[in-house]
Every structure is written in structure tokens, then in C-alpha cells.
Amino acid sequence: MSSNVLLKTDRVAKVVVPQPVNIATGLDLEKKLMDAVMTGASDKGYLLWRSRRALVVPRSATHKPGFADAKTYCDAQGWPVITRSTGGELTPQDPGFINLSMVVKLNKNQLSIKGSYELICDVMSRWLKKYGIQSEYGSVKGAFCDGDYNLVVDGKKIAGTAQRWQRIRDAQVVSHGGDTALLIHAVILCDGPLQEMWQICNQFYEHCELPPFIKGDCHLTLAQLMGEQGEYFVQKVMNDLADVMSKYIDQLNFTESKDLEVKRA
């Protein structure tokens, strides 16, 4: 699509999609980035993209009582429900959010689960430091899709993370170093109507006959932190993140090193 910016230098894929796209389009771009590493077209890369409104749920959610009713209800409220192949819990998407998808090629035992999450938490921390914002990672009870590697500012979730590992089967690709592709994803809360999101998320759970648990005061947007908002603001911080991410991905080199120490920001 014409709004995509695709740069490839020295086997590094760098893709930025500044305008919100259909969630299926974003997930397809993410898959193509993963496939580029799986097939040997790239050794690493990243994708920055934004989605139109959607509620993304794991396939397991489709087996919950009332799922069909929940999907029908949320669709009617302007929040289409999309199923993903990976695990986790319901994750809202909004044009005010930025998705960061990062893929690297490495050996299966080269990086721990903790170390892999630190890769993406570290680059986001470096980006936030540009604005004088200190962050850490950890669990936030009451946050959507909670986990040990949320990016947290002032005790509130500002980004959620997930990852997927896939073994590379092509012997020729493996012969050049690395037998595994690692995809790490983050959804960053830059701007948007958070209270409306948590309301529709909890209504989804209620229709699925599950207890609602998401609490609005457990979350924070970058817009709230910086006192700015709107499309221009989201585009600006996305460009800043692209600059930080470009330099960060260039210095990562798993295929020529058995070990890689991530230096925390």
C-alpha cells in the first residue's frame, strides 16, 4: 500500500505504516515480516503500524459460553472482534495505539524468554527516555492482558507485550546462522478513549459469561503523560520511535554471536 515505508539495508527489514489499517492487514504485515526471516530474506527487522478499532482475542475465546453473542454485541458497538492464532487475552486496538513488531533470527537456546522480552522493553524504555519518562516492566493487576512484561510508568501499564517462536526448517537458511525466528510484539497506549475501551472489553467478558476485571485506572497513555493528544501527536511520537528502533535493530547481531547481552537503557 502506498502509505507503507519499506527500507531494506544489509538484510534488515524496516517497515513503517503511519496510517491506521484494518487489523487483518496489520497482522498480515507482521506475518510477512516473520516469513522474511524464516525464508532467509532478512536476518531481522521491525514493523511499526496502527490499527483501526478492534478487539483482538485468542482462538480459545471462541470456545467460551456466549462468545457468539459477545462478538455480535461488540461488532454492533463499532468494535469488531478479531481472532488471533496466539494465546493471551483480549487486547483492544485503536488508532491512538502504536504496534511495534520486532523479528530476529537466532539459535533456539541463545536467548531466554525473559531476555527476549527485555529486547522490546529496552527499546521502548530508550524511546520514552527521550521525553524524560522513566519506565520499568512488570505485572499490573487489573490491566488488560496482564503479564510480567508490561511496560509500566508510575505503576500503570503503558504497553503490553507478547512473543512467538518458530523453528526455521530450511537447512540453507540455518546454514547462515540461527535456527529460530523470534517475533516480539508490543501494543503501546499513546492516545485514545481508554474508559470507552475498558467498558467494551468488560462487556465482552460479561457476554462470554466471564467476570469483568479490567480497571481503567491501571492504565496510562503517553498523551496523558506529555499533555498532548491527537493525530499529529501520535504521528510525531511514532516517527521518534522509528528513529530509535532503526538504530537499535541495527546493533543487534545474533547470527554472528553465541551470546548477546542486552544493555538496559
Side-chain angles (χ1 to χ4, degrees):
M1 68 183 60
S2 60
S3 61
N4 290 6
V5 177
L6 173 59
L7 304 172
K8 293 194 68 176
T9 58
D10 194 25
R11 301 183 58 77
V12 182
K14 302 178 181 181
V15 186
V16 179
V17 185
Q19 300 299 329
V21 297
N22 184 286
I23 183 68
T25 300
L27 294 175
D28 182 60
L29 287 169
E30 190 175 80
K31 181 181 182 300
K32 288 179 179 177
L33 181 63
M34 186 74 157
D35 288 345
V37 173
M38 292 288 295
T39 60
S42 300
D43 290 326
K44 54 191 176 181
Y46 71 85
L47 164 67
L48 279 169
W49 59 285
R50 299 163 62 200
S51 172
R52 301 188 184 109
R53 281 189 169 188
L55 299 178
V56 186
V57 301
R59 195 166 302 280
S60 59
T62 63
H63 305 300
K64 301 297 183 183
F67 172 78
D69 179 52
K71 185 179 187 308
T72 299
Y73 174 80
C74 293
D75 286 352
Q77 303 304 311
W79 290 89
V81 177
I82 306 297
T83 304
R84 65 172 182 264
S85 58
T86 53
E89 295 176 348
L90 182 155
T91 298
Q93 287 283 353
D94 182 85
F97 291 2
I98 295 175
N99 291 284
L100 169 59
S101 307
M102 175 180 174
V103 180
V104 294
K105 181 187 179 191
L106 71 170
N107 291 312
K108 181 181 179 181
N109 299 318
Q110 196 170 359
L111 201 62
S112 66
I113 297 295
K114 178 177 181 291
S116 57
Y117 274 119
E118 285 181 336
L119 284 180
I120 201 162
C121 287
D122 178 55
V123 73
M124 289 190 292
S125 294
R126 295 183 185 207
W127 168 59
L128 291 179
K129 272 192 172 182
K130 289 172 63 74
Y131 311 120
I133 299 170
Q134 298 294 324
S135 61
E136 56 187 359
Y137 58 80
S139 174
V140 178
K141 186 176 181 180
F144 77 92
C145 197
D146 188 28
D148 291 335
Y149 299 98
N150 298 311
L151 196 68
V152 180
V153 176
D154 296 333
K156 298 184 178 183
K157 179 171 182 171
I158 196 169
T161 58
Q163 62 176 262
R164 179 162 61 93
W165 299 71
Q166 190 168 343
R167 178 62 65 91
I168 299 172
R169 301 296 180 183
D170 190 319
Q172 185 174 358
V173 175
V174 173
S175 70
H176 290 93
D179 58 15
T180 302
L182 166 64
L183 167 67
I184 325 165
H185 175 263
V187 55
I188 306 166
L189 283 57
C190 287
D191 196 7
L194 294 190
Q195 293 306 318
E196 180 183 345
M197 291 181 210
W198 313 140
Q199 182 178 3
I200 194 68
C201 289
N202 282 327
Q203 288 172 338
F204 173 86
Y205 284 123
E206 289 174 343
H207 280 77
C208 285
E209 301 180 21
L210 297 170
F213 66 89
I214 300 176
K215 299 178 180 178
D217 60 1
C218 294
H219 307 83
L220 187 66
T221 65
L222 187 57
Q224 290 172 323
L225 281 169
M226 296 178 63
E228 301 182 52
Q229 61 181 353
E231 178 66 16
Y232 176 81
F233 170 73
V234 176
Q235 292 263 6
K236 176 184 178 298
V237 297
M238 188 175 185
N239 288 336
D240 289 344
L241 178 56
D243 289 341
V244 174
M245 189 67 226
S246 179
K247 295 180 179 68
Y248 187 80
I249 198 92
D250 284 343
Q251 61 91 27
L252 290 180
N253 194 338
F254 289 96
T255 56
E256 295 181 5
S257 174
K258 293 183 179 180
D259 300 292
L260 182 127
E261 180 181 353
V262 180
K263 295 180 179 179
R264 295 289 295 160

